[in-house]
Amino acid sequence: MDRDQSSVEQSALEEALAVPVPAAQSAVVSSAGHRRAAAQRQQMRQDLATAAMELFASQGYEETTVDQIAAEAGVARRTFFRYFRSKEEAIFPDHDDTLVRVADLLASAEPEEHPLDVVCRGIKEVLRMYASTPGVSVARYQLIRQVPALREREIAVVSRYERLFTRYLLGRFDAAEEIPPGWQRGGDDDSMLAEVSAAAVVAAHNHVLRRWLRAGGHGDVEAQLDHSFEVIRGTFWATAPHRMRRRGTAVAPGATDDTFPSPEEAAVSALSASPGGEVLITVARTNAPLDLVVDRIKAALSSASMS
């Protein structure tokens, strides 16, 4: 008798012995039952994944069968296929749940939050999934490097996150009433920027993750990922200092705050006395939006008047 069959029979016995309970108590019991069932399902997926990894490592991927994995985990073959469609899928037991969690995070994000920040928070959930079990993640990485079929499966899994992020970013572009004007790109660049940004975030995650795995799962991997996010923000989205983007200011992709001198530098770099007062010279790139140039001039004048 495998674990699932035993669990079903136990549940049937409990229902047969059950007595009527108040509705509120019944709801609590039902909720607890769902949580327990979800925990049991997750544990079974982990048991099957662990069994698969151990067999792949000891006797080889090609030589290992689903029957052997099931037997190693103490369940029947049919139980294995309730949880995974193939043996290579058993190497990635957490991604389905993580994908749902990331989708919920995107759906619940506040409209005021920069869409790229939301995507960065989403991919960090994936990183935390790996970081929660460093030993398993390192062993899986070493195995995947040796088996082409598993590498292909990993690529397919990663692409699901990239598509999810692309759809989210496109949705934010389309929801014009929910996005501050400065975050709108307009024209034909929206789809390109969404795809490139999503791909960049996923690529940064993969780069940081693999470097961490090659180091044996040591080091502050979240801090490394945060640094990568800052690089992406400055490259593709031209954000101001982290989480300080001004609303209503459109900045060309690729520009950064470092593109322009600070107000103090602009104010004091070329001040000279003249009969009509001081002369202020400020410098800006020719492709800079006019409202941003005006803001810089105002800030420089204000700084100069206070000095």
Side-chain angles (χ1 to χ4, degrees):
M1 180 183 301
D2 62 69
R3 298 182 188 178
D4 277 6
Q5 184 176 351
S6 176
S7 177
V8 170
E9 292 178 357
Q10 178 65 26
S11 298
L13 177 60
E14 291 174 353
E15 290 176 3
L17 297 176
V19 295
V21 295
Q25 183 178 347
S26 177
V28 171
V29 172
S30 176
S31 177
H34 285 306
R35 289 196 301 271
R36 183 165 57 252
Q40 290 173 346
R41 176 178 174 79
Q42 182 63 20
Q43 184 60 53
M44 175 55 69
R45 289 175 64 87
Q46 290 291 347
D47 290 346
L48 288 167
T50 299
M53 286 184 58
E54 290 176 350
L55 289 172
F56 292 163
S58 64
Q59 65 185 33
Y61 172 78
E62 296 295 343
E63 292 74 18
T64 299
T65 66
V66 168
D67 287 335
Q68 291 174 326
I69 296 173
E72 182 73 13
V75 299
R77 174 187 173 91
R78 65 179 180 276
T79 299
F80 176 92
F81 286 110
R82 292 194 189 110
Y83 295 91
F84 301 108
R85 290 169 291 186
S86 62
K87 64 181 184 180
E88 61 264 23
E89 191 175 284
I91 293 297
F92 307 96
D94 303 320
H95 278 294
D96 286 343
D97 291 336
T98 303
L99 191 69
V100 171
R101 190 163 63 252
V102 173
D104 289 342
L105 182 152
L106 300 180
S108 62
E110 294 293 333
E112 292 78 14
E113 186 175 6
H114 194 297
L116 189 64
D117 283 344
V118 179
V119 170
C120 289
R121 286 200 296 116
I123 199 65
K124 188 174 284 189
E125 288 295 313
V126 184
L127 184 77
R128 287 169 177 164
M129 177 196 71
Y130 285 98
S132 64
T133 54
V136 173
S137 296
V138 170
R140 179 167 51 194
Y141 172 69
Q142 294 171 345
L143 180 63
I144 289 172
R145 292 178 64 189
Q146 301 170 9
V147 182
L150 295 181
R151 287 201 298 272
E152 293 173 4
R153 179 64 189 174
E154 181 185 38
I155 293 171
V157 167
V158 169
S159 68
R160 296 165 67 189
Y161 295 105
E162 190 170 323
R163 290 195 299 271
L164 178 64
F165 294 145
T166 300
R167 289 196 301 269
Y168 168 76
L169 290 172
L170 285 174
R172 289 293 302 271
F173 282 132
D174 291 339
E177 71 281 3
E178 298 181 0
I179 303 179
W183 296 353
Q184 284 293 101
R185 298 298 173 185
D188 297 330
D189 291 341
D190 286 1
S191 59
M192 179 275 293
L193 186 61
E195 290 188 19
V196 170
S197 298
V201 169
V202 172
H205 165 270
N206 294 343
H207 173 79
V208 169
L209 175 63
R210 287 171 184 150
R211 186 170 56 188
W212 178 75
L213 292 170
R214 287 194 294 268
H218 301 295
D220 190 345
V221 68
E222 285 199 31
Q224 296 173 34
L225 188 61
D226 285 338
H227 171 72
S228 297
F229 291 161
E230 294 300 333
V231 174
I232 293 172
R233 288 186 184 97
T235 302
F236 295 106
W237 288 76
T239 59
H242 185 44
R243 300 189 185 283
M244 293 178 62
R245 181 177 180 84
R246 292 184 45 187
R247 299 187 182 186
T249 302
V251 184
T256 68
D257 277 1
D258 294 335
T259 303
F260 304 98
S262 67
E264 292 78 13
E265 291 172 335
V268 303
S269 61
L271 283 174
S272 61
S274 68
E278 294 182 317
V279 175
L280 172 65
I281 298 176
T282 185
V283 180
R285 290 190 179 276
T286 57
N287 63 348
L290 181 60
D291 58 346
L292 182 59
V293 175
V294 172
D295 284 348
R296 292 287 183 177
I297 294 173
K298 288 180 179 179
L301 287 171
S302 176
S303 178
S305 65
M306 296 175 59
S307 61

